[in-house]
Amino acid sequence: MSQLPWPARVADIKTGVLIIGGGTAGCAAARRLAELGERDILVLEKASVKRSGCLSAGVNALNAWVGPGASPRDYADYALNDAHGIGDARLLLSMSEGLNGAVEFLASLGLKIHRDSKGAYLSRSWRNLKVNGENVKPLLAGAIRGFPGLKVRERVHVFALTLSRGPDRRIAGALAMDLLSGDILKIRAPKVLLATGGAAGIYAPNAPGSMSHRLWYPPFNVGGGYAMGIRAGAEMTSLEMRFVALRCQDTQAPTGTLALGGGARQLNALGEDFAEKYGNTTSQRVLANRRERERGLGPIRLEAPEAGEGERERALRAYFNMAPQQPLKWLEEERLALGRGERIPPLGAEVEGSEPFLVGGHASCGFYVDPRRETSLPGLYAAGDVAGGCPQKYVTGAISEAFIAATAIASSAAEGPEEDGELAREYLEAALSGGAPGARPSWDRAELEEAAQRAMDLYAGGRGAGYRYSQKGLATALSRIAEIAGMAASLKAVSPKELSLAWELRERLTVAQALVGHLRERRETRWPGFGEYGDFPLEDPGLALFVNSRRLAVGPEKDGKTGEFEFIFRDLESGERLPAPGTEGGAGR
Amino acid sequence: MSVAIDPRLCQGCGGCVEVCPGGILGLSPDGKSAVALYPNDCWGCAACLKECSRGAASLSLSPAMGGRGAKMTAFWEGGELFFKVEFLGGDSVSVKVDSGDPEDY
């Protein structure tokens, strides 16, 4: 590896099953595969499995569960309705059928799920269980560490998927770098599960400067899995369904605990409860908050009724279990009030919409997968936030999907194809080119990240643009992002960590280009809370279909250029290919 | 200020470095203390606090987030996790996180 400024060795590794990402889905799939008798499983995690991904800070509710009297179909229907119809009913149903098994799995690991005196789960609603889950990620990590047949390797950045030779390419393995040693890992695996999570940092964050990483979704989930899939020519779905979360201002802590646990309501500056005016899907609730502020009736506060005995402390505990900055903020407010001799303010928070994220656990975006969770690249599976078509899966749905994928992987052929060595070399060369000696450009990684996030914010419906975008703006976004990607290709890195950060920027840029194409192609406004298309401001019933995409070229981007995408329109139920909307025989206006 | 490591308290065990989901912490060149290499990249998840038995790793809210100088650390007692918030005046409050006990919020 002469291109690198550190002495890097190359290690060749062979494994039966490779799992990329040791988060919720990755841990669950690894454990299930080992239980099914797989004896050669390798989990690669960029951080440490003990605290990584969405659950680094913990969780205080299991938001997907099928309570007494309800059926998996009820949950699937609810999720599809909440997504305004854009989801795969088969994926949703099979995910829903596994929800209660996922709850049992977490309970078997030691997660304490609250029960009443008769032993029944204490629920917040028919689909929502309370837990104090500060320890959920250590429990999931404990389920795979030292388990027979399972190897876990941490601080490893996987940067490319390798494939067999064309035209019927299938997965052949992956390329990675050890972040501690800087060594390059060439991994051969006939079966690969992607469980890398969704994407944050595509858009300018809620607040700049010291708060730029105080996001709802982990800023370390940069969409690397999506990017690897896009570069490998996998079919992606519904990237245009971005997710905007309604969150506590400043800390970006979840609001559901205050709303469901504390009975809190959103109130505008006049003290009016306005929720009923806008409807009750997730997108509509986000829109309600925004519209009221646009009317000049902000700030919008989520306020709990007068707290009863001990309720304040229980709320603090609930938040310490998942978003510890929020109780820190409350305690600071309390201290201020006491110091001034004022009464302690009621529990509550100003709430606002986050910047848009790509997250398949909430929205439908991600890899287009079949009912076995296999992607369009044979041998490559996806589960959790990286997998599309199956919104509202949350933690338990990610586990359910991981189990489905694990079962499919265990029952599929173990023989791997011959790797396309030329393609692997191209990936490696492109990834390491940044380490080559030469003149340093005048920009640095952080500046390019800021430039990309600003372009997306302004021209592709970010928070700063009121989540609105137009065809003209999207074209500007695309050309700007492509230009920045070209600049990013020449970034130099002096350490494995810096090279990893440069790769993360490039991964976001790849995802951004695909996303902008998706926004352009869905010519309607289906989820106004998440985004409004100025050229097509209404929902078009004819566009109840999947917008999918596939990058035409396979391999690394040349000078940052991602190149052309093919857009594929599919029937929501059969998955059959449909004529492009607006063309002869196609749907839509 | 976000995540901070107090070099007077840190013994360089590396526990916080290992668990940080963003890989933003590292050890000082002499290995005697952890350091926040990329403090502005901190998410605020508090994973490092939970690893630190000496209270050397702390988290505070920046003024833009409504921070008024309080510093949060964590400690374990009898197998239970506590968060401790020390206010600017020096007084403090500790809250048991209680992952085992039912609560109805």
Side-chain angles (χ1 to χ4, degrees), chain A residues 246-249 265-270 272 274 285 288-303 348-352:
Chain A
L246 210 53
R247 287 300 175 260
C248 298
Q249 189 174 286
R265 310 283 300 172
Q266 283 196 74
L267 303 177
N268 67 16
L270 304 176
E272 294 164 346
F274 51 83
R285 285 199 303 274
N289 178 289
R290 186 160 84 235
R291 288 284 187 262
E292 291 294 300
R293 282 186 290 123
E294 284 167 355
R295 291 175 62 208
L297 296 178
I300 309 296
R301 270 188 76 82
L302 190 64
E303 213 148 284
E350 280 182 37
V351 288
E352 58 176 7

Side-chain angles (χ1 to χ4, degrees), chain A residues 34-54:
Chain A
E35 286 170 350
L36 288 170
E38 285 283 339
R39 279 295 162 267
D40 191 15
I41 306 160
L42 175 63
V43 179
L44 295 180
E45 162 60 45
K46 190 150 60 172
S48 147
V49 288
K50 185 175 181 185
R51 302 275 181 190
S52 66
C54 300

